[in-house]
Amino acid sequence: MKNNVLIATALNEHARIYLFNSKEMVEEARKLHDLWPTSCAALGRTLAVTALMGLMQKDDNEVVTVTINGGGPIGTILCVANSAGEVKGFCGDPKIYMTYDGMHKLAVGKAVGTNGYLKVTKNLKLKQNYTSQVDLQSGEIGDDFAYYFSVSEQVPTIVSVGVLVDTDSTVRSSGAMIIELLPGHSEEDIVYLENLHLKPISSVFAENDDLHAYLKELFPDAEILEEKNVKYHCDCSRERFMRNLLTLPKKDLEEIAEDDHIDIKCEFCDKTYRFDKEDIKKVMSYASYKG
Ligand SMILES: [Zn+2]
């Protein structure tokens, strides 16, 4: 399969660049959740940046969870990614279609809201979990992540992320780029980045989605460090939901058994698992064994 992420260094190794053609991943999310355009853009942007943060993790099995809630009509956006390039996520209301007045531009900031937070949790194997939270700046996602990287991780960062939705609601183009300034960078490097005048990345990829070409256009001295592949992937299973049932109080399990069965839907992939009377009895016997 063709890789859709480039990780590169440029500006005399003073900058690290993560460039992601996220079209297929976001289209997969759109189909799974039946996303309307503004929900698609908001969730798609968050998924793409979370996926790149997953790739930034040094050890395998480290998982990054991003939660965004700005008090807007879309509700909570939650995305999870790992270092293997797997990402999944959902938003409270998948059926939001709002544009800025008189324009075709999807009103992501309005849908997300600005009265809230962006929270990042890293589940680090063998180490303590790390959680950090910043106030939302614009709710447009890219600015909010840039603010998070600069404040919480103390890395001056540019985040460019966008999703272009077609008239038939499918994803026409989608991309994300993170540019980190590394220690030792100069004033010259900052001026160079300021003068890039980045065009919306989804428009760039709508015309030409060749990652190598775009990287060279922005940074003629760029050197590729790695190429990776990111995909939408949900790792849910019947066993996992069965284990979740174990955490319910006995009273609730008894009620479910009386109702004959329970359907539990995975929020990340919309797959439904049915547990019948016999399953619940099994869970209850485990639960009583557990005390
Ligand atoms: Zn699932």
Side-chain angles (χ1 to χ4, degrees), residues 88 234-237 241 266-271 273:
K88 60 181 180 178
C234 186
D235 53 355
C236 68
S237 65
F241 281 103
C266 173
E267 290 188 284
F268 291 101
C269 68
D270 281 13
K271 193 170 167 183
Y273 295 90

Side-chain angles (χ1 to χ4, degrees), residues 168-236:
D168 64 357
S169 288
T170 61
V171 177
R172 188 168 154 216
S173 67
S174 176
M177 177 167 60
I178 296 177
I179 307 171
E180 296 177 335
L181 271 176
L182 303 176
H185 67 265
S186 63
E187 198 57 39
E188 230 173 60
D189 299 323
I190 295 172
V191 172
Y192 184 89
L193 293 181
E194 280 171 357
N195 288 332
L196 279 178
H197 302 299
L198 296 170
K199 281 191 281 181
I201 194 161
S202 49
S203 313
V204 173
F205 287 169
E207 280 173 29
N208 180 4
D209 66 359
D210 182 338
L211 292 178
H212 290 267
Y214 188 50
L215 181 68
K216 280 283 168 196
E217 184 190 321
L218 296 177
F219 300 98
D221 78 328
E223 277 177 47
I224 308 286
L225 299 171
E226 271 181 295
E227 294 194 28
K228 300 255 188 182
N229 197 39
V230 163
K231 63 175 190 301
Y232 194 102
H233 175 75
C234 186
D235 53 355
C236 68

